[in-house]
Amino acid sequence: MDTFKTYETAWCPGCGNFNILRCLKKALEELGKSPYEVLMVAGIGQAAKTPQYISANRFCGLHGRALPAAVAAKIANEKLTVIVDTGDGDSYGEGGNHFMHNIRRNVDITHFVHDNQIYGLTKGQASPTTGEGHVTDVQVDGNANTPFNPILMAVSAGAGFVARAFSGDSEHLVSIMKEAISHKGYAFVDILQPCISFNKVNTFAYYKSRVYHIEESYNPADKMEALKKAMEAGDKIPIGVIYRETRPDFHEKKQILNTGVPLVDRRTDLQVVQKLIREFV
Amino acid sequence: MYNILIGGAAGQGIDTTVAILEKLLKKSGYYVFTVRDFMSRVRGGHNFSMIRFGTEIITSHNDKLDGIIALNDETVVLHKYKLKEKGFILCDGSLSAEGPQVIKLDMDKMAKNLGNARVLGSIAVGAVLKLFGESLEDVEDIMKASVKEQYLEINLEAIRAGYESVEARFAHMEGKFSDWMLISGSRALAMGAIAAGLQFYSAYPMSPSTPIMEFLASKSNETGMVVEQAEDEIAAVNMALGASYAGVRAMTGTSGGGFCLKVETLGFSGIAEIPLVAVDVQRPGPATGLPTRTEQSDLKFVISAAQGEFPRMVIALRNHEDAFYQTIRAFHLAEECQIPVIMLSDQYLGDSTATVKPYELSNIHVAEAAKADETEGEYLRYRLTQDGISPRLVPGKSRHFVSADSDEHDEGGFITESAQVRRAMMDKRMRKLKKLEEELLEPEFLGTEKCTTLLLGWGSTYGPIAEAVKGLNEDGKGEYGALVFGDIYPLPVKKLEKLASAVKYIINVEQNATGQLADLVREKTGIQCSSGILKYDGRQISGEEIVQRIRKGA
Ligand SMILES: Cc1ncc(C[n+]2csc(CCOP(=O)(O)OP(=O)(O)O)c2C)c(N)n1
Ligand SMILES: [Mg+2]
């Protein structure tokens, strides 16, 4: 099919990002997306370079600020398929406030976090998801902070689609990506991704031995179950859809957006401006 | 010309009373200019408004009062000394004010007898109308537009009751302004944005910028605009940029503190060449400063905000006409040059209302995104062009990919660290300054061409400076002139350089402590101001104050 091209990257050989990129291409192609309708948005970081490596529109913004730009682009043109691909530091650290509030805003975009539990581009400092005790050049006595649980946060803040995936499980990752992109509303996927250069704790083998596919019998529509699932950690890490619920998205809730005509295709009516001017006379 | 002050505590309904009164006075033909002075609190404290009205154009507030409408004792104590000899103090019978100027009316009792204590303000409105010899002709129309239907009748009764309880003291004058608009600076700015085709406004509440968001939101369904309250100012500006990238006209507004948070994104707009219109309604800083008061101290900050170098435009809004027309122009320049355009307003301009000629829509022109020439083959978002302006496509609207990067990038928008590409891209972006310079508007000159003393100002001190120059030249000698900058960065210097060599003294008049315009002028032209009139107590300088300070030998 090859409707999407991928380009040469600047990632370290063996990085989990390669497979995330491959799976993204596959997911988009299997969904029959046209590259011209896809907008890739990122902040800054190694993960955030993803939009540079795939043939689509791209908005490579500031560190931590991918989400506000992404949702606004979607508000401006609902015909775009907007996908944010960026890092754990970017999404949960610098951009933590935007993460929390865009869950609430529920604009129809997809948010893939390449969660390597470390700051990769800046060479290995602790990220919000770095494990307790993890020693780095900065956290010399071991990371003292409690790791942030993005899944728990997303479920509790009211996200309509919350999933976890693993960069080393391609088939599963593609299917989760397809589900997330197809979900109407804000869809969030935390993708476990080994960083071979700067995270010697959470390695490929570490993840491989711990992740398991969530049981068939699990009901992702049950929020209380989802909260429990979100808190599973340690030796067994569940991957799959943890919570799913369809709620009216931003466009459906905003009267003026719910017209079928994208904002970008409309023009302000000067008659209306004239009427407003008269209101001041 | 008349001048009245209405004062009381926050929560006593001064705003509504003033809004009704100013509309009635304008409708009867007066030119009306109202300033609002209030504290950063929801209840209590002391707030007041001054309404100046007459048959000629008024551009400044003034401290000499014909009347005080006092809703509490504090108002009398604080402002009594400003009263002219023939002036009056209208207050409730229960207040302690005494003296020949005091007109006591049992407004509170009257309101309660009418059945609602909250119509006290309308009783005062009625009394003021009578005192100034006005008729009740337009009252019903104005009130219909100002109060909810169920309260209309009782308010009309209250106005009539107030009207009947006093005697006229001043004569009505016939003005020609009844068909003009009465509008606040912030609403004028918002109207300009609407006329320019604004479709997306994102902001985080912050005084004194919030009225822009509130007005746009109140008209959003009519105009088809998305007004989004962001989680913080960083989100607000990045949302505006994302929307602009995707092809809709976008704006973000705040005051200095919020602008601080937006700074990194300002540079992003610069390097990614995404049009952005950003408003800073200034208040006194630093930090939280004086939240509801006025100052012009963000000039040097906004002209240099953000790391790195990139072309930007800064427009200082001078009055309620500028606020409309220059906002439209801001959108035009942002799109034409693909740059951030910053508009500086302030609390004085934003919250004051003035009478303006109905805005003219026939000459509105806002550039469309620079088209891509399909014959050139591959679409390059950052194509190196002669004027530095590259074709700007919108994502999803063609068979091309549109990129935006905060990293340095090549013509195709791919990240690069090549020294050669870096130079080419810096040069390309900086070339846009040339185009911008061609578009610059010289400052407005006021006074007489043969003047020997030249005042320099920018933004909202325009009105007070205009009144001061008129006053200073009343002796017929024509010694005074002024240049007031609207476009302020890049600084237009032609008129200034010409005049500076001809005058003896140059005095900068600014609402800040360090003379930021004087600094900028010296940096760009070498011209040194002889002295400065600087005010930084959070209260706007008046025309009369400028005259006094010059007479004292500023
Ligand atoms: C405002 C700002 N602060 C800091 C940085 C430096 N910085 C760039 S990427 C990054 C962290 C990257 O971590 P993450 O988002 O997890 O991405 P990764 O490289 O691990 O994929 C930091 C701190 C920056 N570019 N901008
Ligand atoms: Mg990371």
Side-chain angles (χ1 to χ4, degrees):
Chain A
M1 220 166 6
D2 253 4
T3 46
F4 286 81
K5 295 186 181 48
T6 53
Y7 309 131
E8 193 190 325
T9 81
W11 290 322
C12 314
C15 173
N17 280 329
F18 286 103
N19 207 42
I20 300 180
L21 178 64
R22 262 194 298 272
C23 290
L24 175 68
K25 171 179 150 75
K26 191 145 190 263
L28 288 169
E29 285 172 346
E30 287 184 15
L31 287 172
K33 295 282 177 189
S34 150
Y36 302 104
E37 72 184 31
V38 172
L39 169 59
M40 298 295 302
V41 183
I44 295 295
Q46 288 291 67
K49 290 179 182 167
T50 307
Q52 293 273 323
Y53 306 143
I54 186 162
S55 61
N57 296 289
R58 62 178 178 275
F59 186 100
C60 297
L62 294 170
H63 185 44
R65 314 303 168 195
L67 284 178
V71 298
K74 180 71 181 184
I75 291 168
N77 186 357
E78 64 216 48
K79 298 238 164 93
L80 293 171
T81 297
V82 178
I83 299 171
V84 176
D85 257 85
T86 202
D88 47 326
D90 204 59
S91 297
Y92 311 142
E94 193 86 321
N97 203 30
H98 310 311
F99 177 47
M100 175 157 79
H101 294 289
N102 280 301
I103 290 171
R104 300 174 48 235
R105 203 169 262 125
N106 201 29
V107 179
D108 184 15
I109 65 161
T110 308
H111 185 187
F112 294 136
V113 180
H114 304 203
D115 188 356
N116 54 12
Q117 303 186 248
I118 206 80
Y119 282 2
L121 185 63
T122 49
K123 306 197 170 165
Q125 306 79 18
S127 90
T129 49
T130 300
E132 219 163 328
H134 188 138
V135 176
T136 78
D137 286 351
V138 175
Q139 284 71 31
V140 289
D141 298 325
N143 177 31
N145 296 342
T146 307
F148 176 70
N149 182 336
I151 302 283
L152 184 59
M153 161 84 186
V155 174
S156 61
F161 184 96
V162 183
R164 186 188 283 119
F166 170 43
S167 68
D169 188 343
S170 304
E171 202 183 318
H172 182 257
L173 177 55
V174 171
S175 84
I176 294 283
M177 282 180 154
K178 284 164 69 179
E179 267 195 75
I181 295 168
S182 306
H183 175 79
K184 203 157 161 37
Y186 171 79
F188 166 69
V189 186
D190 183 77
I191 305 170
L192 301 171
Q193 171 231 336
C195 169
I196 60 135
S197 298
F198 297 109
N199 190 337
K200 309 287 187 203
V201 177
N202 311 100
T203 59
F204 184 86
Y206 172 95
Y207 289 129
K208 184 83 188 158
S209 66
R210 284 170 173 78
V211 298
Y212 76 93
H213 291 188
I214 293 172
E215 319 75 20
E216 292 272 319
S217 59
Y218 177 77
N219 175 12
D222 185 332
K223 198 157 188 166
M224 291 315 286
E225 282 303 313
L227 290 170
K228 267 197 220 155
K229 199 50 114 189
M231 286 168 70
E232 264 183 45
D235 287 351
K236 287 260 162 242
I237 307 173
I239 59 172
V241 178
I242 289 173
Y243 187 64
R244 185 172 31 216
E245 173 199 355
T246 321
R247 290 189 286 116
D249 71 1
F250 188 88
H251 282 76
E252 287 164 331
K253 285 184 288 184
K254 271 249 178 345
Q255 187 187 324
I256 62 147
L257 285 177
N258 205 7
T259 66
V261 183
L263 208 54
V264 66
D265 293 333
R266 303 185 219 162
R267 287 293 168 264
T268 306
D269 181 357
L270 280 186
Q271 300 271 313
V272 173
V273 185
Q274 199 65 60
K275 182 194 154 264
L276 294 179
I277 288 175
R278 278 197 301 273
E279 288 179 11
F280 288 98
V281 172
Chain B
M1 198 187 303
Y2 298 125
N3 191 14
I4 57 176
L5 180 149
I6 300 160
Q12 278 192 307
I14 298 174
D15 274 356
T16 322
T17 308
V18 169
I20 289 169
L21 198 53
E22 63 174 2
K23 274 191 206 135
L24 284 164
L25 292 168
K26 203 274 305 180
K27 199 81 205 159
S28 100
Y30 287 115
Y31 187 102
V32 177
F33 184 84
T34 309
V35 293
R36 291 173 171 78
D37 188 299
F38 51 91
M39 297 177 73
S40 183
R41 51 194 287 179
V42 178
R43 284 278 184 280
H46 177 64
N47 293 352
F48 68 92
S49 278
M50 294 197 286
I51 309 178
R52 229 178 152 193
F53 54 103
T55 55
E56 278 164 41
I57 287 175
I58 301 163
T59 62
S60 168
H61 63 291
N62 182 276
D63 259 1
K64 298 226 171 67
L65 298 171
D66 296 289
I68 294 172
I69 296 92
L71 300 186
N72 60 8
D73 281 323
E74 197 182 3
T75 303
V76 181
V77 175
L78 286 172
H79 302 287
K80 199 175 167 187
Y81 76 96
K82 301 174 183 167
L83 211 53
K84 294 180 195 165
E85 216 177 306
K86 285 199 172 149
F88 66 86
I89 296 172
L90 175 71
C91 65
D92 192 73
S94 63
L95 297 199
S96 52
E98 291 296 346
Q101 291 172 310
V102 178
I103 304 169
K104 283 199 170 171
L105 253 189
D106 286 329
M107 293 188 275
D108 195 36
K109 255 188 225 150
M110 288 164 75
K112 281 179 186 146
N113 286 344
L114 283 169
N116 188 338
R118 298 183 57 182
V119 300
L120 187 147
S122 292
I123 296 174
V125 167
V128 172
L129 290 176
K130 180 68 162 292
L131 285 163
F132 286 94
E134 294 298 310
S135 78
L136 291 181
E137 210 181 295
D138 301 312
V139 166
E140 202 163 326
D141 276 354
I142 300 282
M143 290 305 283
K144 257 189 202 151
S146 310
V147 300
K148 288 208 186 92
E149 209 186 317
Q150 72 256 45
Y151 300 117
L152 179 65
E153 207 33 61
I154 186 169
N155 275 287
L156 288 174
E157 267 182 65
I159 291 180
R160 284 192 287 267
Y163 196 83
E164 266 137 39
S165 39
V166 293
E167 291 301 319
R169 292 210 176 178
F170 301 89
H172 167 76
M173 296 184 281
E174 210 49 51
K176 55 176 195 314
F177 298 100
S178 65
D179 295 335
W180 286 29
M181 301 165 72
L182 182 68
I183 192 166
S184 75
S186 283
R187 287 181 173 201
L189 186 160
M191 283 294 295
I194 294 171
L198 179 69
Q199 290 179 299
F200 187 88
Y201 184 76
S202 43
Y204 185 84
M206 184 171 190
S207 296
S209 68
T210 315
I212 297 171
M213 172 159 61
E214 284 171 342
F215 180 75
L216 289 173
S218 75
K219 303 296 177 195
S220 60
N221 287 331
E222 239 174 298
T223 56
M225 179 190 309
V226 174
V227 176
E228 187 61 8
Q229 182 177 321
E231 55 273 22
D232 56 38
E233 286 86 351
I234 304 178
V237 66
N238 280 282
M239 289 179 100
L241 216 54
S244 179
Y245 161 81
V248 308
R249 295 219 165 97
M251 181 166 88
T252 183
T254 182
S255 187
F259 203 93
C260 289
L261 299 184
K262 297 181 181 184
V263 164
E264 188 188 16
T265 311
L266 200 65
F268 176 27
S269 156
I271 195 168
E273 306 191 53
I274 303 169
L276 174 71
V277 177
V279 183
D280 174 4
V281 186
Q282 299 162 97
R283 70 193 218 189
T288 311
L290 292 165
T292 60
R293 307 210 168 268
T294 202
E295 199 162 271
Q296 299 181 299
S297 50
D298 295 352
L299 175 61
K300 279 174 133 183
F301 165 50
V302 303
I303 65 176
S304 58
Q307 75 276 28
E309 297 162 304
F310 56 93
R312 77 183 81 194
M313 173 83 191
V314 181
I315 304 175
L317 303 175
R318 288 171 292 204
N319 56 33
H320 302 72
E321 290 219 322
D322 257 14
F324 180 78
Y325 294 109
Q326 293 307 319
T327 299
I328 297 172
R329 193 165 150 263
F331 280 91
H332 171 68
L333 292 172
E335 182 61 66
E336 184 174 50
C337 300
Q338 300 177 16
I339 54 166
V341 176
I342 300 154
M343 287 193 292
L344 284 174
S345 177
D346 55 34
Q347 188 272 333
Y348 181 75
L349 174 61
D351 289 338
S352 64
T353 39
T355 312
V356 291
K357 204 182 256 174
Y359 297 134
E360 194 47 70
L361 296 180
S362 53
N363 294 324
I364 287 180
H365 173 64
V366 181
E368 292 292 332
K371 296 257 176 343
D373 183 355
E374 300 281 343
T375 60
E376 280 184 56
E378 191 192 358
Y379 168 65
L380 296 171
R381 169 66 188 92
Y382 298 105
R383 184 181 287 284
L384 295 169
T385 59
Q386 241 170 16
D387 59 5
I389 292 155
S390 312
R392 189 170 91 85
L393 293 180
V394 158
K397 289 283 167 190
S398 69
R399 306 275 301 167
H400 294 294
F401 300 126
V402 183
S403 72
D405 300 85
S406 73
D407 273 273
E408 188 59 275
H409 42 261
D410 62 16
E411 287 186 275
F414 288 98
I415 294 179
T416 179
E417 296 190 28
S418 147
Q420 190 192 341
V421 175
R422 163 68 175 177
R423 273 196 307 275
M425 279 297 152
M426 279 297 285
D427 291 344
K428 167 193 128 60
R429 289 192 291 269
M430 287 306 177
R431 277 202 292 282
K432 297 193 287 186
L433 272 174
K434 197 152 167 258
K435 176 141 204 149
L436 203 54
E437 268 154 25
E438 285 163 17
E439 297 264 7
L440 283 186
L441 297 178
E442 288 289 321
E444 188 171 331
F445 181 77
L446 303 161
T448 45
E449 293 284 350
K450 60 174 175 47
C451 62
T452 51
T453 297
L454 181 68
L455 307 185
L456 293 185
W458 60 281
S460 77
T461 45
Y462 172 87
I465 290 175
E467 186 172 302
V469 168
K470 228 194 266 166
L472 289 162
N473 284 336
E474 245 164 25
D475 58 10
K477 292 188 199 153
E479 289 170 321
Y480 292 90
L483 281 179
V484 187
F485 290 85
D487 285 5
I488 196 156
Y489 196 85
L491 187 73
V493 297
K494 289 190 195 113
K495 265 192 196 176
L496 172 65
E497 286 181 332
K498 198 159 147 245
L499 273 162
S501 55
V503 299
K504 264 203 250 168
Y505 305 105
I506 303 176
I507 304 172
N508 57 309
V509 182
E510 302 185 59
Q511 206 70 35
N512 59 54
T514 55
Q516 301 192 11
L517 173 66
D519 280 2
L520 184 62
V521 162
R522 193 170 56 240
E523 179 192 323
K524 298 295 177 194
T525 65
I527 295 167
Q528 179 100 31
C529 290
S530 336
S531 61
I533 297 177
L534 303 173
K535 194 164 193 253
Y536 42 87
D537 58 5
R539 276 79 176 165
Q540 186 87 347
I541 198 159
S542 68
E544 190 175 316
E545 252 178 292
I546 297 174
V547 171
Q548 282 165 1
R549 286 178 64 169
I550 286 180
R551 294 245 158 89
K552 267 193 219 147

